[in-house]
Amino acid sequence: MFQDAAPPPEPPAVVVEAPAQSMQTITPVTQARVAAALTETTVDIDTRFAGASMVLYGAVFNPTDTPADVVVVVRGPDQPLRLVRKVRVAGLWLNSRPVVFEGAPGFYMTASTRPLSDIASFSVLRRLGVGVDHLRINAPEEETTVTRFGVRDVVINRLGEDYLDWRRAVIRLKEDAALYATDPDGVRFVDQGLFRAEVELPAEAPTGTYEAEVWLFQEGQAVSVSRMELTVDKVGVERAIYDFAHDRSWLYGILAVILAAFTGWAASAWFRRT
């Protein structure tokens, strides 16, 4: 005998909470900024090297109505620089005691959309070290003891008040060798926000790591900066000789003396025959 069975109870409903909706706030860009790059980041120097030219290019993102200026600074590795000055002694012009500057960059150039003095104040440029006139060139650490205003044993730098004259001489010599350069119209905008500047390295450019900075100025203040590196290195025979001279300096010196002696002997023998 069959009886109708009651249907099984329905399973309890499973309540699944919906995931909380992610709320992301996108902050609008309200400050101008700059991005830049170099067409070449490595320069190889060999026996045929006669200089190099590359392009630094970039873009300015300026959501404001305030006009912006771009300043490009390329600085090479620091090198010691030895200077002497002609002094008159007993009616004769002689070289003074040499002065060695340890902190002078081997290469330095600036390019800008207009003269630096129109872009920012002297104090701002000096604080940032932007421009040849604002280079941080360390004075020699040599000191001397003198008597000033009746006070004995006053320690001062040996250059004293002549430091600025020596510093100007450093800059002048570097400019004459095309190692320091300033171009107030070197940065050109080629399109809306897009700019370019040419970087010229002379044949005498030192090897090492260069630092390139692109500064963005608004209303006399630096609001953004983009930094990159450039490597200048010797290759081929130049590199082999350079490494040999630094890794085995004593052997390199001996070979140089032997080569000089042989060259002198060969030249003497040739002149005797003629």
Side-chain angles (χ1 to χ4, degrees):
M1 182 174 184
F2 298 96
Q3 294 180 353
D4 294 334
E10 296 182 0
V14 179
V15 179
V16 179
E17 295 182 359
Q21 186 176 2
S22 176
M23 300 295 292
Q24 295 182 351
T25 303
I26 300 177
T27 304
V29 178
T30 59
Q31 185 177 7
R33 61 187 181 91
V34 64
L38 284 163
T39 54
E40 298 180 35
T41 57
T42 302
V43 175
D44 296 332
I45 296 180
D46 55 17
T47 54
R48 298 171 297 176
F49 181 74
S53 178
M54 64 204 69
V55 175
L56 188 151
Y57 60 95
V60 174
F61 304 93
N62 187 7
T64 69
D65 296 330
T66 305
D69 287 291
V70 177
V71 178
V72 174
V73 178
V74 180
R75 177 173 182 148
D78 290 351
Q79 291 182 328
L81 184 63
R82 182 176 180 271
L83 296 180
V84 295
R85 182 167 59 179
K86 293 291 185 180
V87 294
R88 192 165 186 171
V89 180
L92 300 176
W93 288 99
L94 303 176
N95 289 335
S96 66
R97 182 182 172 187
V99 173
V100 179
F101 288 85
E102 297 289 348
F107 177 87
Y108 188 88
M109 68 148 285
T110 60
S112 51
T113 49
R114 52 185 178 142
L116 293 177
S117 58
D118 296 338
I119 295 176
S121 64
F122 180 92
S123 59
V124 171
L125 297 174
R126 174 59 58 90
R127 176 170 51 84
L128 299 176
V130 173
V132 172
D133 294 334
H134 309 289
L135 271 177
R136 299 181 179 93
I137 301 178
N138 298 328
E141 296 181 355
E142 300 180 24
E143 297 175 342
T144 185
T145 303
V146 299
T147 299
R148 289 287 179 88
F149 305 107
V151 180
R152 300 179 58 184
D153 301 331
V154 177
V155 178
I156 63 172
N157 186 278
R158 183 169 69 87
L159 297 183
E161 297 176 355
D162 293 337
Y163 165 72
L164 293 179
D165 293 336
W166 286 93
R167 185 182 185 279
R168 282 191 289 265
V170 171
I171 295 175
R172 185 180 67 253
L173 292 174
K174 291 290 188 179
E175 288 177 338
D176 293 342
L179 292 171
Y180 285 9
T182 302
D183 189 351
D185 299 315
V187 178
R188 299 188 303 273
F189 281 95
V190 296
D191 201 349
Q192 185 176 3
L194 302 179
F195 65 88
R196 58 169 287 162
E198 294 185 2
V199 179
E200 300 284 346
L201 293 180
E204 296 79 12
T207 59
T209 302
Y210 289 57
E211 297 178 355
E213 297 177 334
V214 181
W215 293 90
L216 186 66
F217 287 85
Q218 282 185 314
E219 297 181 333
Q221 298 295 326
V223 296
S224 177
V225 61
S226 176
R227 294 183 173 91
M228 64 213 78
E229 290 186 351
L230 168 68
T231 302
V232 179
D233 204 359
K234 296 179 182 291
V235 296
V237 177
E238 292 278 336
R239 184 66 191 183
I241 296 175
Y242 178 86
D243 291 340
F244 179 72
H246 285 76
D247 297 340
R248 297 178 175 83
S249 56
W250 60 273
L251 182 57
Y252 177 82
I254 294 174
L255 292 178
V257 171
I258 294 175
L259 180 60
F262 175 78
T263 303
W265 173 83
S268 176
W270 184 82
F271 279 112
R272 284 200 302 269
R273 290 181 181 181
T274 56

